[in-house]
C-alpha cells in the first residue's frame, strides 16, 4: 500500500537537521492514523514519559496504539541527527526496550513497537507468554535500518 502524498509531504517538510523530536510527531501521527484507522477500532494516544537519562526534567513523547482499549503497538520518535551519534542510538534503543518492558506488563501475550530516528526505523517485538518478557526481538546491537 503506497503512502498518500499528504503523508510523504509531512515528512519532506521537516528540516533534516532539526534537533527537536516534536518536529517529527505530526508526520508519524499521520502515518500511524493511516496504518491504524480509528473507524476500525484503533486509537492513537500520545503519551509523555520520563527518559532514562540522568536529567530529572527530560521527557520523551511516544505514541501508544490501542485496539478496543488494548495496547497493540507503540512508537517512539527522535530526530534524524541522532542516527549519526552512536550514544544517541544506544539511548534510543534502551529507551524503546524499557517502554516495551513497561507496556508488556499489562497482561499482553505479544507487543510490537517502533523506534524512529528521523525516517530510520527499528521494529521490536516482545513475546510475554503469561508473565515477564520471555523473548525480545531484535537482539541487542542490531543497527537501525
Amino acid at each position: 500500500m503506497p503512502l498518500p502524498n499528504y503523508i510523504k509531504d509531512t515528512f519532506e517538510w521537516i528540516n533534516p537537521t532539526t534537533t527537536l523530536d516534536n518536529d517529527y510527531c505530526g508526520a508519524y501521527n499521520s502515518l500511524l492514523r493511516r496504518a491504524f484507522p480509528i473507524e476500525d477500532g484503533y486509537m492513537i494516544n500520545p503519551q509523555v514519559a520520563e527518559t532514562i537519562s540522568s536529567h530529572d526534567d527530560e521527557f520523551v513523547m511516544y505514541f501508544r496504539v490501542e485496539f478496543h482499549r488494548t495496547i497493540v503497538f507503540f512508537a517512539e520518535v527522535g530526530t534524524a541527527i541522532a542516527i549519526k551519534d552512536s550514544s544517541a542510538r544506544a539511548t534510543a534503543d534502551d529507551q524503546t526496550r524499557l517502554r516495551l518492558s513497561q507496556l508488556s506488563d499489562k497482561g499482553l501475550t505479544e507487543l510490537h513497537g517502533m523506534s524512529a530516528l528521523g525516517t530510520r526505523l527499528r521494529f521490536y517485538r516482545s513475546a510475554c507468554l503469561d508473565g515477564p518478557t520471555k523473548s525480545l526481538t531484535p537482539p541487542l546491537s542490531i543497527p537501525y535500518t
Side-chain angles (χ1 to χ4, degrees), residues 7-47:
I7 293 178
K8 289 180 189 176
D9 291 345
T10 61
F11 282 97
E12 290 174 4
W13 293 330
I14 300 168
N15 178 347
T17 61
T18 186
T19 58
L20 300 174
D21 295 343
N22 291 346
D23 286 352
Y24 284 93
C25 289
Y28 278 104
N29 190 29
S30 296
L31 180 63
L32 289 170
R33 288 190 182 283
R34 171 81 174 179
F36 300 99
I38 193 168
E39 56 272 6
D40 290 348
Y42 292 97
M43 182 64 66
I44 313 297
N45 291 309
Q47 303 288 309

Side-chain angles (χ1 to χ4, degrees), residues 84-105:
K84 296 177 182 177
D85 178 354
S86 62
S87 173
R89 287 192 314 270
T91 299
D93 183 63
D94 290 345
Q95 187 71 45
T96 304
R97 289 173 186 279
L98 173 64
R99 187 82 49 239
L100 196 60
S101 175
Q102 290 169 337
L103 295 175
S104 292
D105 289 342

Side-chain angles (χ1 to χ4, degrees), residues 56-133:
D56 290 337
D57 61 346
E58 285 190 28
F59 294 90
V60 63
M61 200 284 291
Y62 70 98
F63 295 97
R64 191 173 69 200
V65 180
E66 297 176 0
F67 181 69
H68 299 292
R69 302 192 59 116
T70 299
I71 302 167
V72 295
F73 187 80
F74 73 94
E76 296 218 4
V77 178
T79 66
I81 284 185
I83 202 73
K84 296 177 182 177
D85 178 354
S86 62
S87 173
R89 287 192 314 270
T91 299
D93 183 63
D94 290 345
Q95 187 71 45
T96 304
R97 289 173 186 279
L98 173 64
R99 187 82 49 239
L100 196 60
S101 175
Q102 290 169 337
L103 295 175
S104 292
D105 289 342
K106 306 288 184 202
L108 304 171
T109 56
E110 185 171 82
L111 180 63
H112 295 264
M114 176 184 82
S115 175
L117 296 178
T119 57
R120 304 284 296 270
L121 308 177
R122 186 177 210 189
F123 291 90
Y124 296 77
R125 178 173 103 31
S126 172
C128 306
L129 309 173
D130 297 324
T133 302

